[in-house]
Amino acid sequence: MNTLQNNLHTIQNQIQTASQNYQRRNVHLLAVSKRHPATAIRELYDLGQHHFGESYLQEALIKIAELEDLACHWHFIGPIQSNKTQQIAQHFAWVHSVDRLKIAQRLNQQRPTALPPLNVCLQVNISQEASKSGLSPTELPELANAVRKLPNIRLRGLMAIPAPQKEFAQQRAEFRKLAQIQQQLIHQGHPLDTLSMGMSNDLEAAIAEGATLVRIGTALFGQRQT
Ligand SMILES: *Cc1c(COP(=O)(O)O)cnc(C)c1O
């Protein structure tokens, strides 16, 4: 087995073990391929991994074109400027990083009607860090209500990148906050099924708290080129 195949199996086993230990179902792997070449993506695709996350639009568009012969599901997970929404709406199946209405409205208008609705997660600044993107939990109900009315968008759930924590219990506490906010929105009538949380260093804690989509880069592909 080569490294990529080995890493994929290791992560799949970690996901499976954590799912069993915490009685979670429906945990899916998003392979975060930013700063990694199309050849690595193709190799993972052939091993059965079909969902890929990208953060930088120009880089992503080149790889998407190179891999057009594959049925990859592309997820945009990086910060979004308004002048980027058209190409995101055209080339991606999912967007995890919507944090304001203007962006959602543009994605809705620019989503080609021949494609299924764009799957969207709202990004929450769960640790309330000034430097991080994402909206504050208090702003969330209003944005969720507005986004839900957009016909070419399907609101699927929430995404967060919590402040790094070393202790497992503290990692869980951050993810629990997002899971609780998700439950509140579900009680308010939003049919949400996706919690996008957990990266290479904290995926077990995220699964323990109910992640359905873990976003793994380094543990799968190795260190990124800068
Ligand atoms: C880069 C990135 C990841 C992957 O992080 P790793 O620590 O390399 O697993 C996950 N989510 C987002 C939003 C990212 O930008």
Side-chain angles (χ1 to χ4, degrees):
M1 268 201 280
N2 67 21
T3 312
L4 211 45
Q5 191 171 19
N6 222 358
N7 291 349
L8 179 64
H9 287 176
T10 303
I11 291 162
Q12 285 170 336
N13 285 336
Q14 282 175 347
I15 291 174
Q16 205 188 354
T17 303
S19 300
Q20 279 163 358
N21 289 346
Y22 300 99
Q23 292 167 2
R24 300 292 181 183
R25 267 183 260 158
N26 298 322
V27 185
H28 300 279
L29 171 61
L30 179 65
V32 176
S33 46
K34 66 177 185 223
R35 301 284 191 247
H36 292 287
T39 48
I41 298 174
R42 185 178 291 279
E43 205 177 317
L44 277 180
Y45 185 92
D46 290 338
L47 295 167
Q49 173 63 39
H50 294 177
H51 286 259
F52 295 94
E54 291 281 340
S55 302
Y56 309 106
L57 183 63
Q58 295 316 317
E59 176 197 328
L61 292 175
I62 294 169
K63 289 187 265 185
I64 290 172
E66 271 179 65
L67 298 167
E68 223 170 25
D69 57 312
L70 309 179
C72 292
H73 302 270
W74 295 102
H75 296 235
F76 194 81
I77 62 173
I80 308 174
Q81 293 132 351
S82 358
N83 64 350
K84 302 282 167 67
T85 53
Q86 179 148 27
Q87 285 184 302
I88 293 172
Q90 284 173 355
H91 296 284
F92 287 79
W94 283 77
V95 181
H96 293 225
S97 42
V98 171
D99 63 0
R100 53 197 199 276
L101 184 57
K102 183 186 171 193
I103 295 296
Q105 286 170 332
R106 290 176 63 95
L107 290 169
N108 176 62
Q109 278 161 10
Q110 293 164 339
R111 180 68 169 172
T113 47
L115 295 178
L118 185 62
N119 296 296
V120 161
C121 293
L122 302 179
Q123 183 175 353
V124 184
N125 187 352
I126 202 73
S127 312
Q128 304 272 31
E129 295 171 283
S131 61
K132 283 280 172 69
S133 36
L135 75 166
S136 86
T138 53
E139 299 168 308
L140 197 54
E142 195 182 333
L143 182 61
N145 287 332
V147 169
R148 197 167 158 205
K149 296 189 182 115
L150 303 173
N152 302 320
I153 282 182
R154 185 166 164 215
L155 182 59
R156 298 294 296 266
L158 304 179
M159 183 273 248
I161 311 171
Q165 305 285 348
K166 285 208 182 72
E167 300 292 331
F168 185 70
Q170 288 184 326
Q171 293 176 352
R172 281 191 69 161
E174 292 296 298
F175 291 129
R176 193 174 312 134
K177 289 193 236 168
L178 193 71
Q180 284 170 345
I181 300 168
Q182 171 104 322
Q183 283 308 315
Q184 286 166 13
L185 289 175
I186 289 171
H187 285 309
Q188 289 162 16
H190 294 283
L192 307 180
D193 63 3
T194 302
L195 262 182
S196 168
M197 58 187 197
M199 316 201 322
S200 294
N201 290 326
D202 53 17
L203 96 154
E204 188 186 351
I207 292 170
E209 296 298 337
T212 65
L213 207 44
V214 290
R215 309 181 308 268
I216 308 299
T218 310
L220 193 50
F221 293 96
Q223 290 297 328
R224 284 181 282 274
Q225 310 291 319
T226 47

